[in-house]
Protein backbone atom coordinates (compact mmCIF):
# COMPACT_ATOMS: atom_id res chain seq x y z
CA UNK A 1 0.00 0.00 0.00
CA UNK A 2 1.31 3.44 -0.89
CA UNK A 3 1.34 6.01 1.89
CA UNK A 4 -0.54 9.08 0.66
CA UNK A 5 0.70 12.43 1.97
CA UNK A 6 -1.49 15.45 1.23
CA UNK A 7 -0.39 18.90 2.34
CA UNK A 8 -2.74 21.89 2.54
CA UNK A 9 -0.61 24.99 2.35
CA UNK A 10 -0.19 28.53 1.05
CA UNK A 11 3.32 27.53 -0.06
CA UNK A 12 3.12 24.30 -2.09
CA UNK A 13 6.53 25.11 -3.58
CA UNK A 14 8.07 24.12 -0.23
CA UNK A 15 7.27 20.47 -1.06
CA UNK A 16 8.77 17.94 -1.43
CA UNK A 17 11.77 20.17 -0.54
CA UNK A 18 14.07 18.17 1.71
CA UNK A 19 11.83 15.11 1.25
CA UNK A 20 12.88 15.01 -2.40
CA UNK A 21 16.41 13.86 -1.50
CA UNK A 22 18.07 10.95 0.31
CA UNK A 23 15.90 8.18 1.79
CA UNK A 24 12.57 9.97 1.43
CA UNK A 25 13.42 11.14 -2.10
CA UNK A 26 14.28 7.65 -3.25
CA UNK A 27 11.14 6.30 -1.61
CA UNK A 28 9.07 8.93 -3.45
CA UNK A 29 10.62 7.85 -6.77
CA UNK A 30 9.88 4.25 -5.89
CA UNK A 31 6.28 5.25 -5.12
CA UNK A 32 6.43 3.96 -1.57
CA UNK A 33 4.70 7.23 -0.77
CA UNK A 34 2.90 9.86 -2.83
CA UNK A 35 2.68 13.58 -2.34
CA UNK A 36 -0.18 15.93 -3.24
CA UNK A 37 -0.21 19.57 -2.30
CA UNK A 38 -3.35 21.67 -2.25
CA UNK A 39 -3.04 25.45 -2.50
CA UNK A 40 -5.37 26.78 0.21
CA UNK A 41 -5.82 29.96 -1.82
CA UNK A 42 -7.51 27.96 -4.60
CA UNK A 43 -10.44 27.45 -2.22
CA UNK A 44 -11.10 31.13 -1.55
CA UNK A 45 -14.49 32.21 -2.83
CA UNK A 46 -13.89 35.87 -3.70
CA UNK A 47 -12.14 37.35 -6.70
CA UNK A 48 -9.19 38.55 -4.61
CA UNK A 49 -8.69 34.96 -3.40
CA UNK A 50 -8.69 36.08 0.24
CA UNK A 51 -7.71 33.41 2.76
CA UNK A 52 -7.38 35.42 5.96
CA UNK A 53 -8.95 38.20 7.97
CA UNK A 54 -8.28 40.21 11.12
CA UNK A 55 -8.73 38.49 14.51
CA UNK A 56 -12.12 38.82 16.13
CA UNK A 57 -11.63 40.80 19.33
CA UNK A 58 -8.65 42.66 17.89
CA UNK A 59 -4.93 42.16 18.15
CA UNK A 60 -2.01 41.67 15.84
CA UNK A 61 -1.80 39.50 12.75
CA UNK A 62 -4.25 37.67 10.55
CA UNK A 63 -6.29 34.49 10.97
CA UNK A 64 -7.00 31.85 8.31
CA UNK A 65 -10.70 31.80 7.45
CA UNK A 66 -12.74 28.78 8.49
CA UNK A 67 -14.86 28.65 5.31
CA UNK A 68 -11.80 28.59 3.05
CA UNK A 69 -10.09 25.94 5.19
CA UNK A 70 -13.23 23.80 5.27
CA UNK A 71 -13.52 23.83 1.46
CA UNK A 72 -9.87 22.81 1.16
CA UNK A 73 -10.16 20.04 3.78
CA UNK A 74 -13.36 18.70 2.18
CA UNK A 75 -11.57 18.45 -1.14
CA UNK A 76 -8.63 16.62 0.48
CA UNK A 77 -10.98 14.22 2.28
CA UNK A 78 -12.71 13.37 -0.98
CA UNK A 79 -9.29 12.53 -2.48
CA UNK A 80 -8.16 10.42 0.49
CA UNK A 81 -11.16 9.54 2.67
CA UNK A 82 -9.20 7.12 4.87
CA UNK A 83 -6.39 9.50 5.82
CA UNK A 84 -6.60 11.36 9.14
CA UNK A 85 -6.46 15.15 8.89
CA UNK A 86 -3.87 16.77 11.14
CA UNK A 87 -3.52 20.50 11.75
CA UNK A 88 -0.09 21.77 12.70
CA UNK A 89 -0.26 24.11 15.67
CA UNK A 90 1.75 24.85 18.83
CA UNK A 91 -1.57 24.34 20.70
CA UNK A 92 -1.71 20.70 19.60
CA UNK A 93 -0.70 17.48 21.29
CA UNK A 94 3.08 17.09 21.10
CA UNK A 95 4.05 14.62 18.39
CA UNK A 96 5.84 11.49 19.55
CA UNK A 97 7.26 8.34 18.03
CA UNK A 98 4.24 6.25 19.07
CA UNK A 99 1.89 8.48 17.06
CA UNK A 100 4.34 8.54 14.14
CA UNK A 101 4.37 4.74 14.13
CA UNK A 102 0.57 4.59 14.07
CA UNK A 103 0.38 7.10 11.25
CA UNK A 104 3.02 5.35 9.17
CA UNK A 105 1.11 2.07 9.50
CA UNK A 106 -2.01 3.71 8.06
CA UNK A 107 -2.96 4.72 4.54
CA UNK A 108 -1.46 8.21 4.75
CA UNK A 109 -1.95 11.59 6.31
CA UNK A 110 -3.46 14.92 5.32
CA UNK A 111 -1.72 17.89 6.90
CA UNK A 112 -3.04 21.42 7.26
CA UNK A 113 -0.29 24.02 7.55
CA UNK A 114 -1.10 27.29 9.29
CA UNK A 115 0.42 30.71 8.66
CA UNK A 116 0.07 34.11 10.28
CA UNK A 117 -1.67 33.74 13.68
CA UNK A 118 -3.06 30.33 12.75
CA UNK A 119 -6.57 29.04 11.96
CA UNK A 120 -10.05 30.05 13.02
CA UNK A 121 -10.61 27.68 15.95
CA UNK A 122 -14.00 26.48 14.66
CA UNK A 123 -12.29 24.36 11.99
CA UNK A 124 -11.03 21.90 14.62
CA UNK A 125 -14.41 20.66 15.83
CA UNK A 126 -16.21 21.54 12.63
CA UNK A 127 -14.12 19.10 10.61
CA UNK A 128 -12.94 16.75 13.38
CA UNK A 129 -9.24 17.33 12.93
CA UNK A 130 -6.35 16.37 15.18
CA UNK A 131 -4.13 19.24 16.36
CA UNK A 132 -0.46 18.34 16.45
CA UNK A 133 2.54 20.28 17.75
CA UNK A 134 6.13 19.42 16.90
CA UNK A 135 7.43 20.87 20.17
CA UNK A 136 7.38 23.88 22.45
CA UNK A 137 8.62 26.32 19.83
CA UNK A 138 6.84 28.73 17.51
CA UNK A 139 7.52 28.42 13.78
CA UNK A 140 6.47 30.96 11.18
CA UNK A 141 4.37 28.35 9.40
CA UNK A 142 3.17 24.76 9.55
CA UNK A 143 5.22 23.66 6.51
CA UNK A 144 8.47 22.80 8.32
CA UNK A 145 6.37 20.95 10.91
CA UNK A 146 4.66 18.99 8.13
CA UNK A 147 8.04 18.14 6.57
CA UNK A 148 9.23 16.89 9.93
CA UNK A 149 6.15 14.74 10.53
CA UNK A 150 6.31 13.27 7.03
CA UNK A 151 10.03 12.54 7.32
CA UNK A 152 9.43 10.64 10.55
CA UNK A 153 6.60 8.60 8.97
CA UNK A 154 8.33 7.90 5.66
CA UNK A 155 11.47 6.42 7.14
CA UNK A 156 9.30 3.79 8.84
CA UNK A 157 7.53 2.70 5.65
CA UNK A 158 8.41 -0.83 4.51
CA UNK A 159 11.52 -0.90 2.35
CA UNK A 160 12.63 2.68 3.07
CA UNK A 161 15.31 2.11 5.70
CA UNK A 162 18.26 -0.13 4.95
CA UNK A 163 18.26 -2.67 7.77
CA UNK A 164 14.72 -3.46 8.97
CA UNK A 165 15.95 -3.82 12.56
CA UNK A 166 17.56 -0.37 12.69
CA UNK A 167 14.28 1.26 13.69
CA UNK A 168 13.54 -0.88 16.72
CA UNK A 169 16.50 0.08 18.93
CA UNK A 170 16.31 3.78 18.32
CA UNK A 171 15.58 6.59 20.71
CA UNK A 172 11.99 6.55 22.07
CA UNK A 173 11.11 3.12 20.68
CA UNK A 174 11.51 1.45 24.08
CA UNK A 175 10.69 4.56 26.07
CA UNK A 176 14.45 5.18 26.26
CA UNK A 177 16.99 7.33 24.46
CA UNK A 178 19.34 5.28 22.34
CA UNK A 179 22.86 4.44 23.59
CA UNK A 180 25.72 6.54 22.13
CA UNK A 181 27.53 5.52 18.94
CA UNK A 182 31.21 5.52 17.97
CA UNK A 183 33.19 4.64 14.87
CA UNK A 184 36.82 4.76 13.67
CA UNK A 185 39.28 6.29 14.34
CA UNK A 186 39.68 4.46 17.65
CA UNK A 187 41.58 7.41 19.10
CA UNK A 188 40.75 11.03 18.32
CA UNK A 189 42.35 14.02 20.12
CA UNK A 190 43.15 11.76 23.04
CA UNK A 191 39.61 10.37 23.32
CA UNK A 192 39.13 6.68 22.73
CA UNK A 193 36.17 4.51 21.89
CA UNK A 194 35.00 2.72 25.08
CA UNK A 195 36.98 -0.48 25.53
CA UNK A 196 33.92 -2.72 25.76
CA UNK A 197 32.82 -1.83 22.23
CA UNK A 198 36.17 -3.12 20.94
CA UNK A 199 36.07 -6.31 23.02
CA UNK A 200 34.06 -8.41 20.58
CA UNK A 201 32.06 -9.76 23.56
CA UNK A 202 28.50 -9.29 22.34
CA UNK A 203 26.81 -10.04 25.65
CA UNK A 204 28.95 -7.40 27.36
CA UNK A 205 28.30 -4.92 24.58
CA UNK A 206 24.54 -5.43 24.85
CA UNK A 207 24.67 -4.97 28.63
CA UNK A 208 26.80 -1.82 28.29
CA UNK A 209 24.44 -0.32 25.72
CA UNK A 210 21.40 -1.04 27.86
CA UNK A 211 23.07 0.59 30.86
CA UNK A 212 24.06 3.66 28.83
CA UNK A 213 20.56 4.01 27.40
CA UNK A 214 19.09 3.87 30.89
CA UNK A 215 21.62 6.24 32.46
CA UNK A 216 21.29 8.79 29.65
CA UNK A 217 17.50 8.65 29.76
CA UNK A 218 17.47 9.14 33.52
CA UNK A 219 19.79 12.15 33.26
CA UNK A 220 18.59 13.77 30.06
CA UNK A 221 14.90 12.93 30.03
CA UNK A 222 13.67 12.43 33.57
CA UNK A 223 10.13 12.77 32.19
CA UNK A 224 10.57 9.60 30.10
CA UNK A 225 12.30 7.81 32.91
CA UNK A 226 9.51 8.45 35.36
CA UNK A 227 6.88 7.34 32.89
CA UNK A 228 8.83 4.18 32.20
CA UNK A 229 9.43 3.33 35.85
CA UNK A 230 5.81 4.17 36.63
CA UNK A 231 4.63 1.81 33.91
CA UNK A 232 6.93 -0.94 35.17
CA UNK A 233 5.83 -0.62 38.79
CA UNK A 234 2.20 -0.65 37.74
CA UNK A 235 2.49 -3.69 35.51
CA UNK A 236 4.53 -5.55 38.15
CA UNK A 237 1.87 -4.98 40.79
CA UNK A 238 -0.88 -5.80 38.30
CA UNK A 239 -2.44 -2.45 39.08
CA UNK A 240 -4.82 -1.02 36.53
CA UNK A 241 -3.70 2.12 34.82
CA UNK A 242 -5.48 5.18 36.09
CA UNK A 243 -7.81 6.91 33.67
CA UNK A 244 -6.32 10.06 32.10
CA UNK A 245 -2.80 8.80 32.72
CA UNK A 246 -2.37 6.90 29.52
CA UNK A 247 -0.13 9.29 27.61
CA UNK A 248 2.71 7.67 25.76
N1 LIG B 1 -0.36 32.40 17.08
C1 LIG B 1 -0.01 31.01 17.16
C2 LIG B 1 1.28 30.71 16.40
C3 LIG B 1 1.11 30.83 14.92
S1 LIG B 1 2.59 30.40 14.09
C4 LIG B 1 0.19 30.63 18.61
O1 LIG B 1 0.77 31.43 19.37
O2 LIG B 1 -0.17 29.49 19.02
C5 LIG B 1 1.97 30.10 12.47
C6 LIG B 1 1.74 28.65 12.08
O3 LIG B 1 2.95 27.93 12.23
C7 LIG B 1 0.75 27.90 12.94
O4 LIG B 1 -0.58 28.09 12.51
C8 LIG B 1 1.19 26.46 12.76
O5 LIG B 1 0.64 25.88 11.58
C9 LIG B 1 2.69 26.59 12.57
N2 LIG B 1 3.42 26.27 13.81
C10 LIG B 1 4.11 27.12 14.59
N3 LIG B 1 4.66 26.50 15.64
C11 LIG B 1 4.33 25.19 15.53
C12 LIG B 1 4.57 24.03 16.33
N4 LIG B 1 5.29 24.09 17.45
N5 LIG B 1 4.07 22.86 15.91
C13 LIG B 1 3.32 22.78 14.78
N6 LIG B 1 3.05 23.84 13.99
C14 LIG B 1 3.53 25.04 14.35
Amino acid sequence: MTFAATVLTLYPEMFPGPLGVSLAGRALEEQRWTLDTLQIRDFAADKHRTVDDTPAGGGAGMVLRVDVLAACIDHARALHPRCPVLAMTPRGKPLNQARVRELSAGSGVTILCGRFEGFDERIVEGRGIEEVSIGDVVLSGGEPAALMLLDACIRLLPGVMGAPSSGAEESFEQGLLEYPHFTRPVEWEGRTIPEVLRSGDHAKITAWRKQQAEDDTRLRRPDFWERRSGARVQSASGARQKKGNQDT
Side-chain angles (χ1 to χ4, degrees):
M1 186 178 57
T2 302
F3 183 87
T6 311
V7 183
L8 284 43
T9 170
L10 289 169
Y11 298 99
E13 63 273 26
M14 288 191 183
F15 297 86
L19 300 180
V21 295
S22 189
L23 279 186
R26 198 171 330 124
L28 185 58
E29 273 172 27
E30 292 168 357
Q31 295 179 352
R32 295 185 194 279
W33 67 289
T34 60
L35 174 67
D36 288 312
T37 51
L38 293 182
Q39 167 56 271
I40 296 171
R41 202 170 288 285
D42 289 345
F43 297 86
D46 66 329
K47 70 170 193 246
H48 301 294
R49 309 219 301 156
T50 311
V51 294
D52 56 346
D53 208 334
T54 53
M62 298 296 274
V63 176
L64 287 166
R65 287 174 58 122
V66 68
D67 51 351
V68 178
L69 294 175
C72 188
I73 290 168
D74 293 346
H75 187 88
R77 279 226 167 101
L79 289 177
H80 298 289
R82 293 182 333 133
C83 295
V85 180
L86 274 48
M88 293 296 138
T89 162
R91 286 164 46 86
K93 182 172 177 189
L95 184 65
N96 60 30
Q97 191 64 12
R99 184 67 186 123
V100 164
R101 233 174 224 292
E102 280 170 13
L103 290 169
S104 71
S107 47
V109 61
T110 296
I111 308 175
L112 173 62
C113 301
R115 280 272 152 181
F116 322 124
E117 291 305 318
F119 336 100
D120 184 312
E121 184 66 18
R122 292 171 291 180
I123 195 65
V124 176
E125 272 189 35
R127 284 297 178 269
I129 55 186
E130 176 181 338
E131 296 174 280
V132 175
S133 167
I134 54 102
D136 296 340
V137 293
V138 181
L139 305 171
S140 56
E143 290 80 7
L147 290 168
M148 186 184 121
L149 184 147
L150 289 175
D151 181 277
C153 290
I154 291 161
R155 64 189 284 285
L156 296 179
L157 298 176
V160 173
M161 259 188 303
S165 68
S166 64
E169 283 197 353
E170 271 166 340
S171 291
F172 313 125
E173 293 290 357
Q174 324 276 338
L176 289 173
L177 301 178
E178 199 187 37
Y179 50 80
H181 294 285
F182 301 87
T183 188
R184 278 178 285 268
V186 169
E187 190 185 331
W188 172 76
E189 297 189 354
R191 293 162 200 271
T192 51
I193 294 177
E195 185 76 48
V196 57
L197 297 179
R198 293 180 277 139
S199 67
D201 181 335
H202 291 291
K204 258 199 196 156
I205 292 171
T206 304
W208 182 86
R209 286 179 165 166
K210 180 164 181 280
Q211 192 62 52
Q212 286 288 313
E214 291 180 359
D215 290 351
D216 287 349
T217 307
R218 201 169 342 100
L219 285 170
R220 295 171 183 218
R221 295 299 300 267
D223 53 331
F224 278 15
W225 187 252
E226 261 169 43
R227 222 174 288 155
R228 187 181 149 85
S229 332
R232 273 210 311 258
V233 169
Q234 286 207 335
S235 61
S237 67
R240 283 174 56 148
Q241 216 167 5
K242 262 191 270 159
K243 253 200 158 161
N245 189 24
Q246 295 172 341
D247 256 6
T248 43

